[in-house]
Each structure stands twice: as structure tokens, then as C-alpha cells.
Amino acid sequence: MNFKIAVLPGDGIGPEISVQGVNVMDAVCHKFGHQVEYTYALCGADAIDKVGNPFPEETFRICQEADAVLFSAVGDPKYDNDPTAKVRPEQGLLAMRKQLGLFANIRPVQTFKCLLHKSPLRAELVEGADFLCIRELTGGMYFGEKYQDNDLAYDTNKYTRPEIERILKVAFEYAMKRRKHLTVVDKANVLASSRLWRQVAQEMAPQYPDVTTDYMFVDNAAMRMIQEPTFFDVMVTENTFGDILTDEGSCISGSMGLLPSASTGESTPVFEPIHGSWPQAKGKNIANPLAQILSVAMLFEHFDCQEEGKLIREAVDASLDACVRTPEIQVEGGAKYGTKEVGAWIVEYIRKA
């Protein structure tokens, strides 16, 4: 199989973890006889600094012409700490999602047995947790009408029936492939937009009779994720709620550096770690590359290359079991491994497998 991959390293630790993702993809492609071609493009603060636009037209073109995008992270403190900034790195991420029509964000939340002690929750609560958060990505308050002056500000949480139907279809289909349990998360007791979400979900549920569908207010869902994360199989929700809940879910595993994601929709899919750019760690060789590497596994699986994805997951599990880990998840007294060393160990495992 031939792959054309757009690589967007971005900001902060992005370029460091991006290298490890590309190295792993190269190793897997070599092992399985695939051909891969990379095209690198600017995004985020790096793109603002160089061309004044966090998602330049050239980057959009490169993404459109690719089979998939391997994205890393955007963000920089000089923009975070300036509330008057008109152009921000994160606008590039939103632009990419909107312009590529990536309306479905798929975030797996899982625990690793050897890292249960790293979770802020008790091991008996998180052991066996394995669920998908499916977040609507191109609607709601992030893209609705906005206004701000010195005395008034508002964001409009707007959704249409087609937008809701298409993300629910994704969620029901994922539930059919898993344990056949879907939880629709909303705030239908307060918000009109949520009431439309619940109405549409109730209308669609009979089309999937094998799926047990339940409904949960977002505040209850946030609490249930902490009290009983093993309850969930597939969770679907709107953009703003999804942004918050997926970050909450990432803590269950014990490190944001462990979890990948995929954004899919009308055009080129994007695969990325869920964490941010962590600018404080830039250049220190301490960033965990596993989320980026597992994003490569999701990329292969998206193209039905299941054996390739499985091998990457085996290599990641083996690295954790062997305590080849970056500092934030290393055992006390364990050997010191950096971003490069963890990536190299996984590449070598793949080559020898």
C-alpha cells in the first residue's frame, strides 16, 4: 500500500514527538512492504511567526492532497498570555478541522496494567477501563456567532439536525463494533441545543436495536467517569462538553502522554496525540512520544491495516513492561529514557518482531 502523509509538527514538543511517530511509521511500512511519502507543513505559532497565519493555504493544500495527516501539537505562551492577540496558534487547529470537514473526534481512553498506580484514581476503579469518547468537532460554541466588548460577551451554541445525525451515526457504528453500549451526553434539562441532540438520538436509536443507548447529563457524566469509568463503552457529545470530558478521561490512564486520537469526516483524516505543546519541555528530550506513536497505530487501523496497528500497540506495551519510559511515568529508580530513546526502542522492537 502507498501512503501520502502530511506531517504537521507544530510547536513546543511537537517536532520532537513528530520525529518518533515518523520513525515508527517508517519501520512498520518497511516491515510490511508499504511505501510512504511525507510532506511537511507549517501550523500553529510556528506558522504565525513565519507567514502570519496559523493554518496557511499551502498547509491546507498539502493536507487535502494527502491520505492522512500526522499532527503533533500547537500552542505558545506568548499567545496564551496575551488576551488581546487577534491571531492564535489554536485557531490553526480549528481552521484545519473546519476546512477539512473533520466533524468526528475519536479519543480512546484506556488503562495500562503496569501504570494503574499512576492514575489519580484508585487502581480498583480504573482497572479495565476502556472506552471511546466521540466528540462533535466542527459545530457548537467554538464555531458559533461570537461577540465581545468591555461589558458584554457571548458565544452561540448552534447545532443543526444534519450535524447531529452524522456524529450520532459515527457513534452508533463504533458501538456496534465494540460492546454495544452508547451513552449520549448532553444538558437537555437546560439547553435547547441539547434537547435537539437528545431528540435526534432517540429517533435514531431504533435503527440500532443491538445497541443499548442511555442518556446522561454532562455534569453526571463527568462525575460517573471518576466514580465508575468502566461503565462506559462509547460516549458521544457536542463540541464544548467533549473538549472537557475527553481531557478528564485522559487523566484516568495516568498521563496525557499515553493517549492518541483521530479526527475524521469529509476529507483527509488527522491523527494526533491528545496533549498540548508543553513548551516548558521543548528541547529537553523528556516528552512522552507514546501518544504520537499510538496515533500512527490509529492511522494504520483507519486504512484497515490491522496487523500494522496491532504490532505498534504490542511494541508500546512491551516498552512499558520493560520500563522503557519517559520520566513522568518511570518507576522509582528506573533507568533514564528520553523521547528519542523510547522511540528508538520501539522502532527496534518493530524491526525484530
Side-chain angles (χ1 to χ4, degrees), residues 146-201:
K146 302 175 185 300
Y147 177 81
Q148 179 184 358
D149 61 28
N150 288 331
D151 302 300
L152 172 69
Y154 62 79
D155 302 275
T156 307
N157 195 39
K158 177 183 175 183
Y159 272 104
T160 65
R161 174 177 283 271
E163 288 176 316
I164 299 168
E165 287 177 340
R166 67 184 182 181
I167 190 68
L168 287 173
K169 183 174 186 291
V170 171
F172 275 113
E173 289 178 352
Y174 267 103
M176 286 292 292
K177 297 173 186 175
R178 290 174 52 91
R179 301 191 300 274
K180 297 182 172 57
H181 176 202
L182 176 64
T183 303
V184 181
V185 177
D186 59 35
K187 192 64 176 170
N189 57 336
V190 176
L191 301 178
S193 56
S194 281
R195 286 193 284 276
L196 181 59
W197 268 75
R198 187 168 292 209
Q199 176 186 333
V200 174

Side-chain angles (χ1 to χ4, degrees), residues 72 105-108 246-247 249-251 255-261 272-276 291 295:
S72 297
N105 181 237
I106 317 300
R107 288 196 183 185
T246 51
D247 278 1
S250 72
C251 295
S255 171
M256 291 186 76
L258 293 169
L259 300 180
S261 73
E272 62 183 294
I274 68 160
H275 58 70
S295 297

